[in-house]
């Protein structure tokens, strides 16, 4: 019985460390923003840590003479680039704290229940250990 207790304490300690690391990574991501300037330097867009658009800045007045299609393409392309860059930051932030196979997209899209996610992970580990 003492061996089981030590093993449970070890699992619980690892759970707490991982939970804290995930919470820290999530807080950092949610506090971050990414700004990208278009290739032609006419437009900058900013997205938050979830990739949601938070700002558009026209750096020149050339947008006034663009066709609607040209302006729309410039906006879409620049927003897409900002979201892609933001997603790369998120992936890098979580790469070191999450085991492979965890739902990164759910984590990136907003608040998650870390307790439930970690409880599910611990339950999976326990089931795998029982099979061994």
């Amino acid at each position: 019985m003492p061996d089981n207790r030590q093993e449970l304490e070890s699992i619980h300690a690892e759970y707490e460390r991982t939970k804290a690391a995930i919470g820290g990574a999530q807080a950092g991501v949610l506090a971050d923003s990414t700004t990208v300037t278009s290739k032609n330097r006419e437009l900058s867009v900013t997205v938050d840590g979830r990739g949601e658009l938070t700002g558009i800045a026209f750096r020149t007045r050339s947008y006034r003479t663009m066709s609607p299609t040209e302006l729309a393409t410039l906006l879409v392309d620049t927003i897409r680039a900002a979201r892609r860059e933001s997603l790369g930051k998120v992936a890098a932030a979580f790469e070191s704290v999450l085991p492979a196979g965890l739902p990164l997209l759910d984590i990136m899209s907003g608040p998650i229940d870390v307790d439930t996610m970690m409880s599910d992970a611990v339950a999976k580990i326990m089931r795998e250990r029982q099979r061994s």
Side-chain angles (χ1 to χ4, degrees):
M1 187 74 100
D3 290 339
N4 288 337
R5 183 173 184 186
Q6 288 176 342
E7 185 175 356
L8 285 175
E9 288 174 359
S10 174
I11 290 170
H12 180 72
E14 181 63 26
Y15 164 82
E16 291 297 329
R17 283 191 298 275
T18 302
K19 179 180 165 185
I22 291 170
Q26 183 182 30
V29 163
L30 294 177
D32 192 27
S33 67
T34 300
T35 301
V36 170
T37 301
S38 63
K39 291 177 184 177
N40 63 7
R41 311 207 47 80
E42 295 175 346
L43 169 75
S44 292
V45 298
T46 301
V47 297
D48 64 16
R50 287 188 227 140
E52 295 295 321
L53 182 65
T54 60
I56 297 174
F58 293 98
R59 300 169 53 93
T60 69
R61 294 181 180 254
S62 64
Y63 68 91
R64 293 178 181 203
T65 59
M66 290 181 183
S67 71
T69 302
E70 185 181 12
L71 180 57
T73 299
L74 180 65
L75 282 163
V76 169
D77 290 348
T78 309
I79 292 167
R80 188 173 288 140
R83 286 185 172 161
R84 210 174 16 252
E85 186 175 318
S86 179
L87 183 61
K89 288 180 180 180
V90 171
F94 282 99
E95 189 175 69
S96 65
V97 297
L98 291 180
L102 286 179
L104 270 178
L105 291 177
D106 292 341
I107 293 168
M108 292 185 288
S109 66
I112 61 166
D113 184 352
V114 175
D115 288 328
T116 299
M117 185 177 73
M118 293 304 297
S119 294
D120 291 347
V122 168
K124 181 180 177 182
I125 291 168
M126 294 304 290
R127 282 192 304 272
E128 289 173 1
R129 285 186 178 188
Q130 287 175 350
R131 288 183 203 146
S132 304

